[in-house]
Every structure is written in structure tokens, then in C-alpha cells.
Amino acid sequence: QLQLQESGPGLVTPSQTLALTCAVSGGSITPGGHSYHWIRQPPGKGLEWIGNIFPSGTTFSNPSLKPRVSISIDASTNQFSLRLTSVTAADTALYFCARASGNFFPLSYWGQGILVIVSS
Amino acid sequence: DIVLTQSPGTLSLSPGESATLSCRASQTVSSNYLAWYQQKPGQAPRLVMHGASTRATDIPDRFSGSGSGTDFTLTITRLEPEDFALYYCQQYTKSPFTFGPGTKVDLK
């Protein structure tokens, strides 16, 4: 059974960089067809798609966040990562990682989420 | 971006009743790449429906999806206590893969 687990600091200082990692277990991250996503949910609000990456390294991101977002993948550790620069209080959210079976597939597997608070 | 609008915002129903949730897109969702997710408090979303009308693994047949183009519907018949939750639609036909604002199905 595929499992995803987010990790990273739960508190980030404004203007700094938020860095999260998603560990994938129960399956290899390298089969080329799958895509790996980041989604966030501000407290009490809806879901916002941040971006995704394929094992090839190809990435797509939400234009609303694109200048600040970087997504990477590490096949050797079976993990993928999110970096969000210049954070503000508006970036406070529950961050989820998820996997789709490929391009034009829904998000079938989700991590449990990690709450990141941006505050000094 | 494809903007998704969901209605109603909240549905107050009793167990055994039926729920009809609507998702409308600002432009055509090609190939009906439209999914529905269920989210309960403190949990990650769970895929319920994809391709507009295909139930995800382990989803009971009281859940059904329909629609095409810009108008989609998720219907839950004979509501069970575990069905009371938030439901989001998402299009995955065009990046950014946007979500709707959600419909809450709560207990009357």
C-alpha cells in the first residue's frame, strides 16, 4: 500500500523559505508515469494546488505561486520536496503531498498533511 | 485558469436522504477530467470519483457522478453517517489543477 508522509518545520519566519519533504513508501518513485503533487489548505479554507513534478524532473506550478515555488525529486531517497520562498502569513496552511497515476489522472494517494505556520 | 464553482455551499440533510452536489467550470473540462474528493475534519482529502463518473476504489455504489463539459454532479443516495463531510471537485485537464470551494454535507 503506497503511503506518503510530509515532514519539515512547523514554524517558519516571515520572509524566509518554507521547505517540506514528502517521503514515499510502499512503492518506488521512479516509474515514469506517476506525478507527485503539493496542495495546501489554509486553516478553515479550501484546497489550493501548488504544483507537481514527474520523475523525469519536469515540473508545473500554479502561476499564482510560480515565482516562489520550487519542486524537486530525489529517486535515491524516494522523496520529493517543496520550497516556497519569501513566505508571509498568507502561506500559513496545512500542506499535503499527493500522487497521481500520471498526467491527466486524479490524486489517488495523499499524505496526512503538515501544518506550517508563518510567524515571527 | 479554470475556475470551479460549487453549489450549494452547505447541504443540511438527514441519514437516508439523498444529496446532490453541483460543480460548474468556467470553461470546458476536456475528457471529463473532473474528480470529487471527500474530506473529514483533521483528515486528508479522499478520492471519491474521477473521470466525472467513475467511482474510486472502495467507494460504495450509493455515490454516483455525472456531467460533462462545464456542469458536473455528485449524487449520494441513502446518506450514511460517514458521508457527512466536505466535498471538493477538482479539474485535472489543464494546469493549474484547480479545486472548487467545496460543499459541506452536514447533519440536519
Side-chain angles (χ1 to χ4, degrees):
Chain A
Q1 173 75 345
L2 191 80
Q3 292 187 320
L4 294 88
Q5 178 70 59
E6 306 87 350
S7 62
L11 181 65
V12 181
T13 304
S15 80
Q16 299 302 301
T17 295
L18 180 160
L20 298 175
T21 295
C22 181
V24 180
S25 59
S28 173
I29 206 168
T30 49
H34 298 144
S35 62
Y36 296 89
H37 299 246
W38 288 99
I39 303 98
R40 71 180 183 177
Q41 185 173 38
K45 296 189 178 180
L47 300 164
E48 179 181 30
W49 182 79
I50 299 171
N52 69 329
I53 188 166
F54 291 85
S56 64
T58 300
T59 61
F60 298 90
S61 54
N62 194 323
S64 67
L65 298 169
K66 190 168 187 175
R68 301 194 290 129
V69 167
S70 173
I71 300 174
S72 60
I73 195 163
D74 187 345
S76 66
T77 58
N78 229 39
Q79 295 178 336
F80 64 104
S81 299
L82 170 71
R83 288 174 57 87
L84 182 66
T85 62
S86 304
V87 296
T88 69
D91 295 309
T92 292
L94 190 56
Y95 285 77
F96 295 100
C97 60
R99 194 195 84 170
S101 295
N103 213 7
F104 307 120
F105 278 81
L107 301 170
S108 304
Y109 297 94
W110 292 68
Q112 64 186 24
I114 183 169
L115 178 62
V116 178
I117 296 171
V118 178
S119 174
S120 55
Chain B
D1 297 4
I2 297 178
V3 176
L4 299 178
T5 303
Q6 292 186 243
S7 61
T10 303
L11 264 177
S12 295
L13 296 166
S14 301
E17 293 190 302
S18 292
T20 301
L21 288 68
S22 173
C23 177
R24 178 165 289 179
S26 62
Q27 53 188 278
T28 296
V29 177
S30 302
S31 303
N32 291 342
Y33 287 148
L34 191 286
W36 292 89
Y37 300 88
Q38 176 193 70
Q39 187 179 32
K40 297 179 180 179
Q43 296 184 18
R46 175 193 184 193
L47 179 66
V48 170
M49 198 74 58
H50 61 94
S53 61
T54 302
R55 277 189 303 277
T57 303
D58 295 332
I59 300 301
D61 61 6
R62 62 179 182 272
F63 287 82
S64 62
S66 63
S68 63
T70 61
D71 288 294
F72 300 89
T73 301
L74 177 70
T75 302
I76 314 169
T77 57
R78 305 180 310 277
L79 278 163
E80 296 283 343
E82 61 267 27
D83 301 334
F84 291 91
L86 258 169
Y87 291 85
Y88 294 96
C89 58
Q90 184 214 18
Q91 63 80 20
Y92 51 97
T93 191
K94 182 180 174 185
S95 180
F97 301 133
T98 46
F99 291 88
T103 290
K104 184 178 183 181
V105 179
D106 70 6
L107 202 53
K108 184 189 283 184

